[in-house]
């Protein structure tokens, strides 16, 4: 998995980004497929050191 190569906070501070996802529902309140897909897309970004808010 590519995200494991970076480890936690693996990016230099200058390359880290803030990512905000504004959505109607998110797990565990909404457990449909699109919510879990978004979660699976955002998690690797957070693991690479980006700041992710939902």
């Amino acid at each position: 998995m590519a995200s494991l190569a970076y480890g936690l906070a693996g990016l230099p501070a200058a390359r880290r980004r803030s990512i905000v996802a504004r959505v109607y529902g998110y797990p565990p309140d909404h457990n449909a497929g699109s919510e879990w897909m978004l979660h699976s897309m955002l998690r690797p970004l957070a693991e690479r050191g980006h700041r992710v808010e939902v």
Side-chain angles (χ1 to χ4, degrees), residues 1-47:
M1 180 179 242
S3 63
L4 296 178
Y6 287 95
L8 295 176
L11 288 173
R15 296 203 46 192
R16 293 184 193 148
R17 302 286 184 244
S18 293
I19 298 144
V20 177
R22 296 188 63 168
V23 295
Y24 177 76
Y26 195 73
D29 296 330
H30 292 262
N31 281 317
S34 61
E35 287 84 2
W36 283 106
M37 180 58 127
L38 177 64
H39 179 77
S40 67
M41 291 168 49
L42 295 176
R43 175 166 234 141
L45 294 172
E47 289 173 351

